[in-house]
Amino acid sequence: MKTGIKRRLTIMIAVSLLLCLPVTAWAAENPADPGNTAFILLCSALVMLMTPGLALFYGGMVRKKNVLSILMQCFTVLAIVSVQWVLGGYTLAFGSDHGGLIGSLEFLGLQGIATCSSVGSIPQLAFVGFQLMFAVITGAIICGSFAERMNFTAFVIFILLWTTLVYDPLAHWVWGGGWLGRLGALDFAGGAVVHISSGISGLVAALVLGRRIGQEKEAIVPHNLPMTITGASLLWFGWFGFNAGSALAADGLASLAFLVTNTCAATAALSWVTAEWLHHGKPTVFGAVSGAVAGLVAVTPAAGFVSPLASIIMGLLVGPVCYLAISRMKEKLAYDDSLDAFGIHGVGGTFGALATGVFASTAVNPAGADGLLASGGIRLLSVQLVAVAATYVFAGIMTFLILKFIHRFLPLRVSSSEEEAGLDASLQGEVAYSQVSGDGQNLSC
């Protein structure tokens, strides 16, 4: 009797061990946490929503004859970069380091990345998707600088080349094991990689293409502010995925990034409105949403390294800084940055990167570094300055060379007649608005 019981217990234990073997082996290969994985996939979707949000933000700011063209450009970036990232963009940014400058081709076509491959506590494929959405929104931001005048064929080629030759190397420099990351530069979610690079590249493109026809004679104002406000709201919403998701885990760091993102955006909206109220005597809704976006940009590099109180100070400062950059610098230098991509993203990103060197504290995030106010001296601020300067020089020069290369084969700018007619009708063969009679008959386009 006792022998039979022992035999059955032995069999049960053996079966239990055999059943546990596959689970143990899988866990060793794939330590991904289901909660963190779900969090990152959700954040990736939020960041993807930012591109349509940006399209609406920009769409309301252009003249009604160019609404569809700017929407088309933003959605085209989403399509082009989505394919480019899978084929080669990811491996250039996050492949094994080569000289601190670029990643290897080990993940070309995402080969070698299995479903069980992990980055930290999330599947590597989830990380690929999350970083893809950063590359997409960066290219889309540039569209705001040359809106209403760029040849669509040239635009398609430009976005493909710019993402490959500018964004991918910069992402590697900071996040992929490159020289800026090793130097100690802090860029939690893309102050230099996303905003400074797109801002300065947009400015260079605006200078190369020249001013819009009639821009020097009369002010070109937004045609549909409710559309712009809707887009800004989607951007603010999606930015929680942008910054909180950069923690790569649903933890306290993500919570901090979420909170300081909202706080800085809200404070910057108030400070921008206050600045224009004092300057022009009236607060505007356009100023409020512009300030909110400027605050979102500024807090992006700092989101995981600064306290909520520091984010309030950053928001108070960045609103007036960006407002003055647009209202004064743009007027004095007479350049046509159509939708102020440089004034908000370039200037705001620069402010945020440098402010990180001032307000960052290891008391907030031990994995970061102490800035000037946390008794870290000027070292971090100096490193941040190097990162800003390197981004300006590299992105600016490469953008200029890419545009000049394209111009050797086809015109960068639409013809005068196409520009005056509007890019919607001349390039897309569509119009956003048409006058319709009461019975539904189309009267004019």
Side-chain angles (χ1 to χ4, degrees), residues 274-316:
T274 301
E276 71 172 355
W277 201 344
L278 294 173
H279 187 208
H280 286 299
K282 293 182 180 179
T284 66
V285 67
F286 186 49
V289 296
S290 297
V293 174
L296 292 166
V297 170
V299 78
T300 293
F305 305 115
V306 302
S307 69
L309 287 178
S311 71
I312 291 179
I313 299 173
M314 291 175 63
L316 287 173

Side-chain angles (χ1 to χ4, degrees), residues 108-145:
L108 199 64
L110 299 188
Q111 296 190 52
I113 301 179
T115 55
C116 60
S117 301
S118 297
V119 173
S121 62
I122 63 171
Q124 189 171 4
L125 289 174
F127 181 75
V128 172
F130 182 64
Q131 291 296 335
L132 158 63
M133 299 310 167
F134 279 61
V136 169
I137 191 66
T138 307
I141 291 170
I142 305 174
C143 301
S145 289

